[in-house]
């Protein structure tokens, strides 16, 4: 069912986020497997491919999180190298896109461009790069340059980083490799791979050593939601990984970002909006709602509730009763370096701690909630809850109403948590005519309905 039945049906794009390093994942559940062993990645990816998903998504963790000076081990701890995992998955999947999150703050464009071009070749056109920036000196301590980059320069470097990577990928033209065995000539151009880039961040020139890949360049994702992040995405990204999976906030974000494309000479369909979303299924909507409540209390244990509370109050609350009321005193203000939680980007959402604490107190008092119950409410993650038909029809309505172009699903169990969705919701989406019954193309760009960069450039040149 859609709000506008006269509008042509959009296809629902689906992707799968291998969860980790957040309390979405219930690693202590007996059904949960390893987050390090390749078998978990293989099974998860092949489930997604069985459901004809567009791609699998890996986030990034460059340093173990700490809280109160100790490693934060209530969430999943540890994450193997992105390129190693995706390269291995390329060998055990045939159609699934492979999206990796790689930081533009602590890497160099030549290295990253080379790794993604190689992955695109190995996977025959299924590579995608989620371009992120890093914001804290704590994470930067793991790297040669430390936390050297001022926050207001992160997106400036990210944009020039991406521009440089594109120059490297475009330094090879489609006809540069002729491999003429009879004539003894391998290259078709004397300038193949030649590049020269000089700006405030990068001063490099030479030859890029990976010929043009099947997609020309990987699909580009962006995950930031700030004003700078939205402009960066509108100017340069093919898709956005957002957190706005609820109807009203999703529509507002969708309209805002899509509305920015025109000033960069881009059409609205050149950028896909793909929020992360969880799901809980049941035989009835009531059964699913009860299961969702039980999962939330698994995700927010008494110890986790206290840690969340500490992240807002920015002080040690280890003696606080999770089944009691919120602290009577106010949060402790601090700059980034003085936060009790280190390496956790979500703490930046608490821009005004006193205001948020006042909101939490008002909600707890109005609804008679304990500390743990309040944390369950304010950190709620379940986006789609109900029977398979309820969930399928809700997802379809959201996509047809331009809340999103699809969703990146995050199950709470790894690696088997995707299976119920694939087995029960996907067939209903297919029945509704909004999800493929076979892969449309051979590359991720083709499956996402995105133009090859060469074709898009030619279109702009003739516009």
């Amino acid at each position: 069912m859609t709000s506008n039945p006269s509008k042509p049906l959009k296809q629902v794009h689906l992707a799968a986020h291998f969860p980790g390093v957040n309390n979405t994942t219930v690693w202590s559940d007996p059904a949960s497997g390893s987050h390090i062993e390749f078998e978990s990645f293989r099974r998860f990816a092949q489930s997604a491919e069985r459901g004809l998903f567009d791609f699998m998504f890996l986030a990034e963790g460059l340093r173990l999180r700490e809280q109160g000076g100790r490693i934060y081990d209530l969430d999943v701890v540890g994450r193997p190298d992105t390129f190693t995992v995706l390269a291995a998955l390329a060998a055990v999947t045939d159609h699934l896109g492979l999206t990796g999150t790689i930081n533009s703050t602590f890497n160099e464009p030549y290295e990253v461009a080379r790794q993604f071009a190689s992955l695109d070749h190995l996977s025959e056109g299924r590579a995608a790069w989620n371009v992120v920036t890093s914001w804290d000196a704590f994470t930067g301590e793991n790297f040669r340059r430390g936390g050297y980059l001022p926050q207001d320069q992160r997106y400036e470097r990210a944009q020039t980083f991406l521009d440089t990577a594109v120059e490297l990928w475009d330094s090879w033209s489609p006809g540069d490799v002729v491999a003429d065995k009879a004539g003894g000539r391998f290259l078709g151009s004397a300038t193949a791979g030649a590049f020269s880039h000089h700006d405030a961040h990068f001063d490099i020139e030479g030859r890029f050593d990976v010929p043009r890949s099947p997609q020309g360049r990987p699909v580009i994702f962006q995950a930031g939601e700030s004003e700078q992040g939205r402009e960066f995405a509108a100017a340069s990204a093919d898709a956005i990984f957002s957190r706005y999976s609820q109807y009203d906030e999703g529509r507002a974000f969708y309209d805002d970002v899509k509305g920015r494309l025109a000033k960069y000479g881009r059409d609205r369909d050149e950028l896909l909006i793909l929020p992360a979303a969880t799901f809980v299924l049941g035989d009835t909507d009531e059964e699913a709602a009860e299961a969702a409540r039980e999962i939330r209390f698994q995700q927010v244990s008494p110890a986790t509730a206290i840690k969340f509370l500490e992240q807002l109050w920015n002080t040690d609350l280890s003696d606080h009763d999770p089944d009691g009321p919120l602290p009577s005193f106010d949060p402790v203000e601090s700059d980034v370096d003085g936060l009790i939680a280190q390496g956790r980007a979500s703490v930046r959402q608490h821009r005004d701690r006193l205001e948020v604490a006042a909101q939490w107190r008002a909600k707890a008092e109005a609804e008679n909630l304990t500390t743990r119950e309040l944390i369950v409410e304010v950190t709620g993650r379940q986006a789609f809850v109900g029977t398979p038909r309820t969930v399928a029809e809700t997802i379809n309505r959201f996509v047809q109403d331009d809340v999103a172009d699809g969703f990146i699903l995050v199950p709470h169990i790894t690696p088997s948590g995707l299976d119920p969705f694939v087995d029960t919701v996907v067939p209903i989406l297919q029945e509704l005519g909004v999800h493929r019954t076979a892969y449309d193309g051979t590359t991720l760009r083709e499956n996402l309905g995105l133009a090859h960069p060469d074709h898009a450039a030619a279109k702009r040149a003739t516009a």
Side-chain angles (χ1 to χ4, degrees):
M1 297 294 179
T2 72
S3 299
N4 184 1
S6 63
K7 183 179 175 183
L9 278 179
K10 292 167 60 180
Q11 289 293 295
V12 174
H13 291 290
L14 292 175
H17 182 187
F18 188 92
V21 303
N22 286 305
N23 74 310
T24 305
T25 306
V26 185
W27 60 264
S28 58
D29 191 296
S32 285
S34 170
H35 292 76
I36 299 294
E37 295 173 1
F38 179 66
E39 173 60 17
S40 288
F41 292 99
R42 181 201 63 76
R43 179 173 175 185
F44 191 80
Q46 291 182 339
S47 291
E49 190 166 67
R50 184 164 60 82
L52 304 173
F53 282 28
D54 293 293
F55 61 91
M56 173 174 161
F57 184 94
L58 292 182
E60 183 181 57
L62 295 177
R63 179 168 177 174
L64 296 181
R65 292 167 174 166
E66 296 180 11
Q67 188 151 323
R70 301 178 62 182
I71 293 175
Y72 188 99
D73 64 353
L74 292 173
D75 295 349
V76 172
V77 170
R79 178 175 282 155
D81 173 69
T82 294
F83 284 110
T84 306
V85 172
L86 294 183
L89 290 176
V92 297
T93 53
D94 296 314
H95 304 283
L96 190 69
L98 304 167
T99 303
T101 302
I102 295 294
N103 200 288
S104 63
T105 303
F106 303 121
N107 290 295
E108 295 296 325
Y110 187 94
E111 179 185 29
V112 171
R114 187 168 183 260
Q115 290 168 315
F116 271 112
S118 300
L119 180 63
D120 208 39
H121 277 289
L122 284 174
S123 64
E124 298 180 313
R126 295 186 280 140
W129 174 18
N130 180 35
V131 185
V132 297
T133 65
S134 186
W135 62 281
D136 62 327
F138 172 78
T139 301
E141 289 175 355
N142 270 355
F143 297 89
R144 177 170 58 88
R145 296 181 180 177
Y148 73 98
L149 194 63
Q151 187 163 338
D152 60 358
Q153 292 183 23
R154 288 184 297 118
Y155 275 105
E156 176 185 306
R157 178 180 165 97
Q159 185 65 65
T160 58
F161 192 112
L162 178 57
D163 292 343
T164 308
V166 169
E167 288 178 30
L168 295 169
W169 292 321
D170 288 352
S171 67
W172 285 81
S173 297
D176 281 349
V177 175
V178 295
D180 178 4
K181 294 181 180 179
R185 187 171 67 108
F186 192 85
L187 291 179
S189 168
T191 61
F195 70 90
S196 178
H197 183 99
H198 307 280
D199 64 27
H201 292 278
F202 307 110
D203 186 14
I204 57 175
E205 61 182 62
R207 297 269 190 169
F208 187 56
D209 59 359
V210 185
R212 198 157 182 80
S213 68
Q215 293 188 106
R217 67 186 72 141
V219 173
I220 301 298
F221 279 74
Q222 192 273 338
E225 62 186 51
S226 66
E227 180 68 18
Q228 288 175 301
R230 294 181 190 212
E231 286 297 318
F232 177 65
S236 307
D238 298 306
I240 291 183
F241 173 64
S242 86
R243 64 186 179 92
Y244 299 112
S245 60
Q246 302 300 313
Y247 190 93
D248 290 336
E249 65 179 13
R251 281 203 66 167
F253 181 78
Y254 190 99
D255 289 342
D256 178 84
V257 176
K258 294 267 185 174
R260 298 171 187 246
L261 291 168
K263 67 180 176 182
Y264 297 103
R266 306 181 70 195
D267 297 331
R268 288 173 68 90
D269 59 2
E270 291 184 61
L271 178 69
L272 300 174
I273 310 294
L274 303 171
T278 59
F279 61 90
V280 178
L281 303 173
D283 290 337
T284 65
D285 289 345
E286 293 75 19
E287 180 184 299
E290 179 57 29
R293 175 176 169 79
E294 292 176 1
I295 291 168
R296 285 298 298 138
F297 279 90
Q298 280 185 290
Q299 293 168 327
V300 183
S301 68
T304 297
I306 296 301
K307 292 301 184 185
F308 268 115
L309 195 66
E310 288 183 342
Q311 288 161 22
L312 176 62
W313 253 259
N314 195 32
T315 192
D316 181 4
L317 295 170
S318 54
D319 292 333
H320 186 80
D321 179 7
D323 296 320
L326 292 173
S328 57
F329 55 89
D330 287 334
V332 176
E333 296 287 3
S334 173
D335 60 19
V336 169
D337 293 335
L339 295 177
I340 192 171
Q342 294 290 326
R344 184 181 287 277
S346 60
V347 297
R348 291 179 300 162
Q349 295 169 19
H350 303 316
R351 301 189 189 284
D352 187 334
R353 295 176 184 279
L354 296 177
E355 181 181 346
V356 175
Q359 292 171 354
W360 284 16
R361 284 195 181 107
K363 182 176 179 65
E365 184 175 338
E367 301 178 25
N368 193 28
L369 301 175
T370 66
T371 293
R372 185 185 179 196
E373 290 169 336
L374 175 79
I375 297 297
V376 165
E377 290 288 325
V378 299
T379 61
R381 293 174 182 273
Q382 274 92 2
F384 301 115
V385 177
T387 65
R389 182 160 294 279
T390 297
V391 169
E393 292 181 345
T394 304
I395 287 176
N396 183 36
R397 179 168 62 86
F398 279 28
V399 169
Q400 305 310 328
D401 287 358
D402 289 342
V403 174
D405 294 308
F407 292 94
I408 300 175
L409 301 174
V410 193
H412 70 282
I413 297 293
T414 303
S416 62
L418 206 59
D419 292 339
F421 188 97
V422 170
D423 292 333
T424 63
V425 180
V426 165
I428 298 173
L429 290 171
Q430 292 170 326
E431 172 191 315
L432 296 172
V434 295
H435 187 60
R436 62 172 63 93
T437 56
Y439 278 102
D440 310 300
T442 59
T443 70
L444 176 57
R445 280 189 181 279
E446 290 170 342
N447 288 322
L448 288 173
L450 297 169
H452 190 284
D454 295 342
H455 303 158
K459 178 182 175 183
R460 291 194 186 92
T462 57

